[in-house]
């Protein structure tokens, strides 16, 4: 990304180290159970998109195919045509999340992730600055209030309720606040939260 070269990178974010059997990583969210965080991850997930946006010359998008296919296509087209580095981060449900509906419903899970505010979708296009426009477009709507229901639909969060109920309650509050803060920051970046 820092090279400035015209490259396109797609990150399929499973929120764990999937190729090593679901170990906790910097991408694992607060409160999730994974290998080496059996009592829930205590700190928030790294915000890769916002980190890369600080370069100022990298196209960045956050997408979730089950939530908005048109936004996904738009992000891919913009990333491909962008004359510099581009990063597209895709919400990618995986078996380690323990989707209670089953992996056959991963597109539905992606839609619920976006609607609940768990996974905001957006695009950051530095070329818009030259046109006098805001380079940041928030494509998701305000969270619909279903975050806790969404979290309970995945074993990685729900199992903590059984094994460590008090810690689960504390971490659920923490992730909810983190996501509320993130969504407010994204609204400000889009010019809608002022």
């Amino acid at each position: 990304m820092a090279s400035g070269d015209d490259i396109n990178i797609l990150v399929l974010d499973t929120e764990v180290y999937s190729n090593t059997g679901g170990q906790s990583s910097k991408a694992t969210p607060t409160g999730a159970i994974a290998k080496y965080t059996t009592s829930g991850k205590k700190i928030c997930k790294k915000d890769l998109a916002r980190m890369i946006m600080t370069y100022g010359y990298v196209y960045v998008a956050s997408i979730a195919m089950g939530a908005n296919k048109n936004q996904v296509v738009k992000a891919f087209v913009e990333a491909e045509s962008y004359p510099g580095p581009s990063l597209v981060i895709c919400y990618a449900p995986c078996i380690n999340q323990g989707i209670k509906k089953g992996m056959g419903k991963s597109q539905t899970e992606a839609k619920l992730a976006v609607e609940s505010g768990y996974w905001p979708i957006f695009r950051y296009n530095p070329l818009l600055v030259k046109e006098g426009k805001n380079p940041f477009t928030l494509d998701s709507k305000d969270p619909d209030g279903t975050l806790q229901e969404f979290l309970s639909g995945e074993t990685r969060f729900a199992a903590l309720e059984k094994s460590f109920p008090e810690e689960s309650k504390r971490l659920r509050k923490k992730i909810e606040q983190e996501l509320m803060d993130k969504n407010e920051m994204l609204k400000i970046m889009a010019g809608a939260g002022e």
Side-chain angles (χ1 to χ4, degrees):
M1 298 281 91
S3 71
D5 292 341
D6 188 8
I7 59 170
N8 301 307
I9 297 174
L10 173 65
V11 172
L12 300 176
D13 191 350
T14 62
E15 302 188 309
V16 290
Y17 288 125
S18 299
N19 61 341
T20 59
Q23 294 173 344
S24 181
S25 76
K26 292 178 194 106
T28 303
T30 301
I33 289 176
K35 284 187 183 174
Y36 309 121
T37 56
T38 55
S39 62
K41 186 161 177 242
K42 311 298 185 219
I43 57 173
C44 68
K45 172 182 176 156
K46 172 174 66 175
D47 193 338
L48 179 62
R50 282 190 30 211
M51 289 170 62
I52 298 301
M53 280 187 266
T54 64
Y55 283 105
Y57 57 83
V58 178
Y59 177 91
V60 180
S62 172
I63 64 173
M65 194 166 77
N68 186 332
K69 289 176 182 60
N70 290 331
Q71 188 261 359
V72 169
V73 170
K74 189 177 243 187
F76 281 145
V77 168
E78 288 174 355
E80 174 60 27
S81 65
Y82 183 74
S86 62
L87 174 68
V88 177
I89 305 168
C90 180
Y91 181 70
C94 86
I95 195 132
N96 292 306
Q97 292 173 345
I99 299 169
K100 291 182 178 180
K101 296 172 206 66
M103 284 304 295
K105 298 289 185 184
S106 62
Q107 294 301 299
T108 301
E109 193 72 2
K111 182 177 190 284
L112 296 173
V114 171
E115 290 172 350
S116 69
Y118 180 81
W119 187 271
I121 55 174
F122 53 83
R123 292 166 292 121
Y124 174 79
N125 188 343
L127 292 178
L128 295 176
V129 173
K130 294 176 184 168
E131 298 174 22
K133 297 177 183 173
N134 184 344
F136 186 81
T137 303
L138 182 59
D139 294 313
S140 49
K141 297 180 175 135
D142 285 341
D144 66 4
T146 61
L147 178 65
Q148 293 301 330
E149 182 182 331
F150 170 76
L151 297 174
S152 292
E154 296 189 358
T155 305
R156 64 183 174 154
F157 295 106
L160 195 60
E161 293 171 20
K162 293 177 181 153
S163 55
F164 297 96
E166 289 305 311
E167 187 65 354
S168 174
K169 200 178 296 183
R170 185 183 78 76
L171 292 174
R172 287 285 194 101
K173 277 185 186 174
K174 188 174 187 289
I175 191 172
E176 186 162 17
Q177 187 61 54
E178 289 167 3
L179 292 170
M180 282 175 35
D181 293 347
K182 179 178 183 172
N183 279 294
E184 282 306 308
M185 177 57 67
L186 295 176
K187 282 170 62 175
I188 290 168
M189 290 169 64
E194 300 167 344

